[in-house]
Amino acid sequence: MAYSLTNLRDDIRNYTEVGSNVLSDSVLARIIQNAENKILRSIDTDQNVYYATSNLVIGNRYVTIPGDMRAIRYAQLEDAAGNQYFLEQRDTSFMAEYYNTPGTASGVPKYYANWDASYWALAPTPNAAYEITMAYIKQPTSLTDASVSGSGTYLSNKYADLLLYGSLVEAYGYLKGPAD
């Protein structure tokens, strides 16, 4: 059985025997989103893997990352000759020690680190316009989003029982059930 948002809300209320005065639509939206996020953190599927490709700018050590990225799988560079290089993720403190003068030297980047929510920093600074490919897990659309609430999502259509169980676990905590 596949779930629409309305059917899932009804089943959660029926299983918990709690009406809409306690489990309102807005409370259930948060419960369902929490369950979806917990499920998506626990399993690794190819359903939400996407690829972004762009070219690095010579002398610019920053790379814009996709705004819908949930987690990175890998980052790879390719030079004009077709040679491929996989980048290793490092902490920004490592980058500061390894490459403390980013403007003075350049080469084939070996490392990347999260700079902020929108950028990565590379080390060393690119000496050519390498093509970079990022394989990442995209933040999926929630069942609570109005654009899919009637038709469902991959999770609500293929794994309806898992989504119901996860939502019931979240609802149980919200209703202050015993911790054990």
Side-chain angles (χ1 to χ4, degrees), residues 93-136:
S93 61
F94 172 87
M95 299 287 272
E97 185 177 334
Y98 169 79
Y99 196 56
N100 59 2
T101 53
T104 60
S106 62
V108 178
K110 296 179 185 180
Y111 308 107
Y112 71 94
N114 293 327
W115 183 254
D116 60 22
S118 301
Y119 296 97
W120 283 346
L122 301 176
T125 302
N127 61 354
Y130 300 103
E131 181 180 85
I132 184 169
T133 301
M134 292 176 253
Y136 66 98

Side-chain angles (χ1 to χ4, degrees), residues 4 9 25 34 58 72 95 98 107 123 175:
S4 67
R9 283 193 299 221
D25 288 352
N34 288 345
I58 298 171
I72 187 71
M95 299 287 272
Y98 169 79
L175 296 171

Side-chain angles (χ1 to χ4, degrees), residues 8 19 22 37 39 44 46 56 63 72 92 112 145 155 160-161:
L8 182 57
V22 175
N37 287 331
I39 291 166
D44 186 25
D46 288 336
L56 300 180
V63 176
I72 187 71
T92 51
Y112 71 94
D145 188 303
L155 190 59
D161 55 341

Side-chain angles (χ1 to χ4, degrees), residues 152-167:
T153 62
Y154 180 79
L155 190 59
S156 71
N157 289 330
K158 301 291 184 186
Y159 302 102
D161 55 341
L162 181 61
L163 183 56
L164 173 62
Y165 177 75
S167 298

Side-chain angles (χ1 to χ4, degrees), residues 57-116:
V57 177
I58 298 171
N60 183 358
R61 67 182 286 206
Y62 299 103
V63 176
T64 304
I65 56 176
D68 59 355
M69 182 172 74
R70 181 181 178 94
I72 187 71
R73 283 197 152 181
Y74 68 83
Q76 165 189 318
L77 297 180
E78 185 173 333
D79 63 17
N83 299 318
Q84 295 180 348
Y85 309 93
F86 284 91
L87 298 175
E88 295 180 35
Q89 186 173 15
R90 294 287 190 248
D91 188 69
T92 51
S93 61
F94 172 87
M95 299 287 272
E97 185 177 334
Y98 169 79
Y99 196 56
N100 59 2
T101 53
T104 60
S106 62
V108 178
K110 296 179 185 180
Y111 308 107
Y112 71 94
N114 293 327
W115 183 254
D116 60 22

